[in-house]
C-alpha cells in the first residue's frame, strides 16, 4: 500500500513538472513570436531584402519593422513604427542605390572631399567629382553587399551584412586598401542598433570616416517637429568645407541644445563634440513620435540639414568632420577625428535608432 501511494505521488509530481515545462515552452514560444526575421526577394530587381519585425503584445502602434537592402549599399531603407514610415522612400527600389533615400551608409569619406582628393601616408587618393569640383558621400552606398541569414529569438531580430574591399571590387582602384567592412543590424523593442566594424587586411594603414545619412520624413507639420543636438560647438565652413576653426553655437540660430522647431531652422551644419550615448534626435509632437540617435564614442560629429520647403530633414551621425582626411593632414586632428585601422586591427562603433511613442491625449 505504501509503494502504491508512493507511485501515485511520484506520478502526480511528474505530471505537475510536465505541465510547468509545457507552460514555460509556451511562454518562450510566445516571446519569440514578438520578433521575426525574414529573407525576401524583390520581384522587379531580384534583390534580397531583409525584414526584421517586432510586434508589441499590448499596442500595435508600437510595432517596429526594419527593412534592409544589402544589394543597395546595405541601406536600412525603411523603418516603421506602427503604420508610420519614418524614412523617405525611393519611387521604386531600383533607385535606392546612392545617398538620397532611406538610411544610406557613407564610407570611407562621409560628406565632402575638397577637390576630390586627399593624401595620406604619402599616397594620393583621387575620386570622380560629383559635387562641383568636390567628391561627396563616399563609395559604399551604391555597391552590392553580401548578407547572412537573418534570425530572431526572444530578445530581438538580427542580420549581418558585409563588403569585402579587394581588387575584385570596382571601387577598389579608388581606395586600394584591402579590408572587410561589416554591418550588424539588431532590432529590439526600442528600435534598431546598427554596428559597423572595419577589419584591415592590408599592409597599409586604413584611414576612414563612417557615417549614416538618414532622410527623415516630416510626419506632421514643420512647426511641431523639434530637433535636439546636445553640442555647443560647430565647425566653421566656407562653401560647406571646414576651415578648421570651431565656433560656439550658444545663443546663435544654430543652438540646438534645447529642442528647436523645424519651422525656425535652415541649416546645413556640422556639430562637433557629440558625447557617447547622446540623446540627439527629434520629436514629431503632433504625431507623438520621438526618435533618438545615441551612439558610441566613435561618433563625435553630427550633420544637421534642414532645407526649407522640403518634406524631409537629415540628422547624420558621423565619426569625423567633413573633408576629414585633408583636415587631418593639415594638423586639425582633433577636429577631423579621422579613424585609422592599423594593419591587422579592427575599428568598430554603433548608432542606435531609438523610436518611442510619446504620451498624449
Amino acid at each position: 500500500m505504501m509503494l502504491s501511494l508512493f507511485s501515485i505521488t511520484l506520478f502526480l509530481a511528474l505530471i505537475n513538472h510536465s505541465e510547468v515545462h509545457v507552460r514555460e515552452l509556451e511562454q518562450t514560444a510566445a516571446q519569440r513570436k514578438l520578433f521575426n526575421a525574414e529573407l525576401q526577394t524583390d520581384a522587379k530587381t531580384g534583390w534580397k531584402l531583409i525584414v526584421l519585425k517586432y510586434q508589441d503584445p499590448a499596442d500595435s502602434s508600437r510595432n517596429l519593422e526594419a527593412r534592409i537592402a544589402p544589394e543597395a549599399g546595405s541601406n536600412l531603407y525603411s523603418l516603421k513604427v506602427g503604420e508610420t514610415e519614418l524614412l523617405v522612400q525611393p519611387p521604386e527600389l531600383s533607385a535606392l542605390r546612392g545617398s538620397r533615400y532611406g538610411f544610406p551608409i557613407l564610407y570611407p569619406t562621409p560628406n565632402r572631399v575638397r577637390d576630390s582628393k586627399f593624401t595620406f601616408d604619402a599616397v594620393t587618393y583621387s575620386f570622380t567629382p560629383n559635387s562641383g569640383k568636390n567628391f561627396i558621400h563616399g563609395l559604399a552606398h551604391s555597391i552590392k553587399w553580401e548578407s547572412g541569414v537573418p534570425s530572431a529569438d526572444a530578445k530581438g531580430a538580427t542580420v549581418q551584412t558585409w563588403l569585402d574591399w579587394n581588387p575584385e571590387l570596382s571601387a577598389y582602384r579608388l581606395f586600394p586598401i584591402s579590408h572587410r567592412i561589416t554591418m550588424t543590424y539588431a532590432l529590439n523593442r526600442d528600435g534598431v542598433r546598427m554596428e559597423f566594424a572595419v577589419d584591415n587586411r592590408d599592409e597599409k594603414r586604413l584611414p576612414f570616416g563612417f557615417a549614416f545619412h538618414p532622410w527623415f520624413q516630416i510626419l506632421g507639420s514643420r512647426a511641431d517637429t523639434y530637433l535636439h543636438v546636445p553640442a555647443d560647438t560647430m565647425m566653421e565652413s566656407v562653401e560647406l568645407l571646414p576651415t578648421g576653426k570651431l565656433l560656439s553655437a550658444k545663443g546663435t540660430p544654430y543652438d540646438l541644445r534645447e529642442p528647436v522647431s523645424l519651422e525656425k531652422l535652415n541649416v546645413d551644419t556640422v556639430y562637433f563634440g557629440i558625447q557617447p550615448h547622446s540623446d540627439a534626435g527629434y520629436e514629431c509632437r503632433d504625431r507623438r513620435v520621438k526618435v533618438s540617435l545615441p551612439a558610441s564614442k566613435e561618433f563625435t560629429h553630427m550633420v544637421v540639414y534642414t532645407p526649407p520647403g522640403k518634406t524631409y530633414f537629415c540628422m547624420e551621425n558621423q565619426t569625423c568632420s567633413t573633408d576629414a582626411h585633408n583636415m587631418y593632414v593639415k594638423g586639425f586632428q582633433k577636429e577631423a577625428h579621422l579613424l585609422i585601422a592599423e594593419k591587422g586591427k579592427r575599428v568598430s562603433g554603433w548608432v542606435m535608432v531609438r523610436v518611442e511613442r510619446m504620451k498624449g491625449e
Side-chain angles (χ1 to χ4, degrees), residues 5-60:
L5 181 60
F6 174 78
S7 299
I8 291 172
T9 303
L10 179 61
F11 178 70
L12 292 174
L14 288 171
I15 291 177
N16 182 61
H17 176 75
S18 297
E19 288 177 347
V20 170
H21 184 60
V22 168
R23 286 197 298 271
E24 289 175 346
L25 288 174
E26 289 175 345
Q27 184 178 13
T28 301
Q31 289 175 332
R32 284 177 178 165
K33 289 179 182 178
L34 297 180
F35 295 96
N36 184 259
E38 301 175 10
L39 178 60
Q40 299 180 356
T41 301
D42 179 62
K44 288 187 177 181
T45 61
W47 293 350
K48 291 189 295 185
L49 303 175
I50 310 297
V51 184
L52 309 178
K53 295 182 179 180
Y54 163 66
Q55 292 182 302
D56 191 284
D59 184 355
S60 62

Side-chain angles (χ1 to χ4, degrees), residues 170-234:
S170 61
Y172 178 84
R173 64 181 179 81
L174 301 172
F175 192 61
I177 305 175
S178 296
H179 63 283
R180 170 177 280 195
I181 177 170
T182 305
M183 283 296 305
T184 302
Y185 298 89
L187 179 87
N188 60 32
R189 65 186 66 221
D190 297 320
V192 184
R193 189 178 190 270
M194 306 181 295
E195 180 175 355
F196 80 85
V198 172
D199 293 286
N200 188 354
R201 299 174 172 178
D202 209 294
E203 296 298 314
K204 299 189 290 288
R205 297 199 299 165
L206 195 169
F208 72 94
F210 189 100
F212 295 104
H213 195 314
W215 297 86
F216 292 116
Q217 295 196 83
I218 299 174
L219 302 179
S221 70
R222 291 184 74 90
D224 287 313
T225 303
Y226 282 76
L227 276 58
H228 173 225
V229 180
D232 56 16
T233 305
M234 57 187 182

